Amino acid sequence: KKEAAASTMSAASVHPDAAMDIPKAKGQRTVIIGGGVSGLTIARYLRQAAPDMQVVLLERNATYQFCPLSNLYMVGGMDLNYFCRSYLDAAKNGGYLYAQSTVYDADLENKMVYTDQGKIGYDWLVIAPGIDYNYTSIGVKDPEEEYILRQNYPAGFMPGSEHISLKHKLENFKGGIWLNTTPAGNYRCLPAPYERTCLVADFMKKHKIKGKVIHLDANPDITIKKKGFHAAFNELYKDYVEYIPNFDFQSVDVAKKTISSSFDTIHFDDAAIYPRVRASKLIEKLGINKPGDLQFEADIDPYTYAVKGHPDVFVTGDSRWMPYSKSANTANSEGHFVAQVIANRAKGKDTPWISPHTICFSMVEYGPVESISVSAQYAYNKKKGAFEFANVQLIEKWSKALGDGTIAWGESILGDISGNQGKA
Ligand SMILES: Cc1cc2nc3c(=O)[nH]c(=O)nc-3n(C[C@H](O)[C@H](O)[C@H](O)COP(=O)(O)OP(=O)(O)OC[C@H]3O[C@@H](n4cnc5c(N)ncnc54)[C@H](O)[C@@H]3O)c2cc1C
């Protein structure tokens, strides 16, 4: 029989030593921190792979928001209802327990997780809290300035209020310079900043808004689907997009609405400013980040996702280090695999490695949506001693067929992680 329930505890914090109000596990228990694509996939598929195991999802938010289609939502091409889902439904459909709670610490030796709703013990732990932003990477070191920047010019790369805020900003944009940025490093969803530039430019074109999008890139060139995005900028949005590579972000002046590199200062009227990403601060707090890693990503075995030295603790999704890309299809496909790894480990068995699969559509126009796409897996190159992309299929000529594929892909991932397919 499926075990499904949701915690209805009040939002008020409880004493840190109080036990969380969760039904007793009859067998082993897996606790999952973070209900993004990664945590949701593992929760659902672990219950299928290990029906006797209790699975508890700890998530701080009350509703789930799917990031991949949010650029379309931003320009008015999609309804908020479509890409927001209920954690209650996902837990009910998947047969696991969802407790709305914020995790602030864990004791990996004594197998205990601490939350604002009390502590909870585990046999297996999955840590999938996604990313945090690193504002010092663009020269913003004062916490007060960081908050002003976050609230006025949100990046729109984390679930929550940011996408709603960006949509309202664009609706109220009277013209001038709209600024988008791409950070350095291994950031969340390589093509998404360029996709946003295409769609914002299309919005300005369709609504006859005077002005342009300036896209500042910390990298020497567009980082993925380069030909497709350059063609879209030049052929579709020649008068609307100015692309500036090699912009080494040094500072932002919110009052003056300027952003500077070591060689230039750009004025903007409105913006979505995307700083470098790092793994969730929880990873660093637990001391499981990869030594020397600038993004504080978890030090996992890429073949099992287990944290080095902790075979019962796994880090998945955008908190883990390369070689895998920080994207939803990757997190979903690896989630299926990790569910199997945990179910098998609970029976003392190993699981042969399967490469995650990265599939990423990027919209370059909307109404109707036209997209380009990439699909890739990963392989270990023994000579180089590193993972690299394998079986890459790149389609850089946009089409409505790929646009339809974008929406169908979103629906299928949302259905897979929540059990409610829904329609775009
Ligand atoms: C604009 C945009 C476009 C994108 N387009 C695509 C695309 O086309 N294709 C694609 O494959 N990917 C795309 N992505 C990337 C994709 O959305 C992410 O890579 C993916 O969602 C990562 O999943 P995750 O579970 O690791 O992290 P998240 O989805 O961020 O989930 C982490 C969860 O953990 C919770 N959490 C964090 N800390 C705590 C805590 N202490 N206690 C409790 N809960 C906590 C958070 O609230 C959150 O719900 C896009 C992203 C954006 C922003």
Side-chain angles (χ1 to χ4, degrees), residues 123-125 304 306-314 341-342 345:
D123 297 288
W124 307 93
L125 177 64
T304 63
V307 171
K308 300 259 172 76
H310 295 277
D312 51 348
V313 181
F314 301 80
V341 170
I342 297 172
R345 275 201 177 176

Side-chain angles (χ1 to χ4, degrees), residues 11 22 31 70 79 117 145 150 155 169 179 206 208 212-213 266 315 322 334 355 364:
I22 277 283
V31 168
S70 60
D79 196 63
Q117 300 297 328
E145 266 180 46
R150 274 174 183 269
K169 285 160 85 61
L179 182 80
K206 284 184 166 68
K208 300 192 170 38
K212 64 179 172 184
V213 185
I266 306 281
V315 178
M322 270 299 264
E334 76 177 23
S355 167
V364 300

Side-chain angles (χ1 to χ4, degrees), residues 33-39 58-61 67-68 70-71 87 101-103 128-130 156-157 159 163 188-189 192 196 282 317-318 326-329 331 359-361 409:
I33 303 173
V37 172
S38 182
L58 308 178
E59 165 58 48
R60 62 188 171 194
N61 290 334
C67 285
S70 60
N71 283 332
Y87 280 115
S101 51
T102 299
V103 173
F157 274 85
H163 301 116
R188 170 171 278 183
C189 196
R196 183 177 290 162
L282 190 60
D318 291 357
K326 296 187 193 299
S327 61
N329 208 87
I359 299 177
C360 192
F361 293 92
W409 169 82

Side-chain angles (χ1 to χ4, degrees), residues 276-345:
R276 249 190 111 137
V277 309
R278 48 163 297 158
S280 156
K281 288 181 183 154
L282 190 60
I283 302 295
E284 188 187 7
K285 175 153 194 191
L286 300 182
I288 54 173
N289 49 303
K290 208 168 158 54
D293 184 282
L294 282 178
Q295 299 198 168
F296 301 93
E297 288 155 349
D299 199 4
I300 55 157
D301 171 354
Y303 292 109
T304 63
Y305 298 81
V307 171
K308 300 259 172 76
H310 295 277
D312 51 348
V313 181
F314 301 80
V315 178
T316 60
D318 291 357
S319 293
R320 40 114 173 94
W321 66 283
M322 270 299 264
Y324 311 137
S325 87
K326 296 187 193 299
S327 61
N329 208 87
T330 317
N332 176 251
S333 55
E334 76 177 23
H336 281 260
F337 172 69
V338 172
Q340 209 55 59
V341 170
I342 297 172
N344 285 343
R345 275 201 177 176

Side-chain angles (χ1 to χ4, degrees), residues 136-291:
T136 59
S137 69
I138 53 172
V140 179
K141 297 188 176 92
D142 175 6
E144 197 176 328
E145 266 180 46
E146 178 181 322
Y147 268 82
I148 294 172
L149 189 53
R150 274 174 183 269
Q151 289 173 10
N152 284 280
Y153 305 107
F157 274 85
M158 279 166 72
S161 295
E162 294 183 11
H163 301 116
I164 300 172
S165 194
L166 285 182
K167 180 178 167 59
H168 289 161
K169 285 160 85 61
L170 191 60
E171 278 168 359
N172 293 313
F173 186 55
K174 301 279 179 279
I177 304 297
W178 178 283
L179 182 80
N180 284 334
T181 68
T182 304
N186 181 23
Y187 59 89
R188 170 171 278 183
C189 196
L190 296 185
Y194 311 108
E195 173 188 79
R196 183 177 290 162
T197 285
C198 289
L199 295 191
V200 171
D202 199 7
F203 180 91
M204 290 171 73
K205 202 170 150 182
K206 284 184 166 68
H207 291 82
K208 300 192 170 38
I209 296 170
K210 286 202 174 115
K212 64 179 172 184
V213 185
I214 293 188
H215 190 119
L216 301 178
D217 197 332
N219 303 287
D221 203 344
I222 289 174
T223 53
I224 192 161
K225 303 172 192 164
K226 193 160 77 176
K227 266 196 206 155
F229 282 120
H230 274 305
F233 291 174
N234 293 329
E235 292 169 29
L236 300 174
Y237 309 117
K238 202 170 175 352
D239 300 328
Y240 289 91
V241 173
E242 183 180 346
Y243 173 73
I244 303 176
N246 286 315
F247 198 87
D248 60 331
F249 296 92
Q250 298 293 320
S251 62
V252 185
D253 188 327
V254 176
K256 289 188 184 147
K257 295 191 181 178
T258 57
I259 189 160
S260 299
S261 68
S262 47
F263 56 88
D264 206 357
T265 292
I266 306 281
H267 172 267
F268 55 86
D269 295 289
D270 217 333
I273 297 176
Y274 188 9
R276 249 190 111 137
V277 309
R278 48 163 297 158
S280 156
K281 288 181 183 154
L282 190 60
I283 302 295
E284 188 187 7
K285 175 153 194 191
L286 300 182
I288 54 173
N289 49 303
K290 208 168 158 54

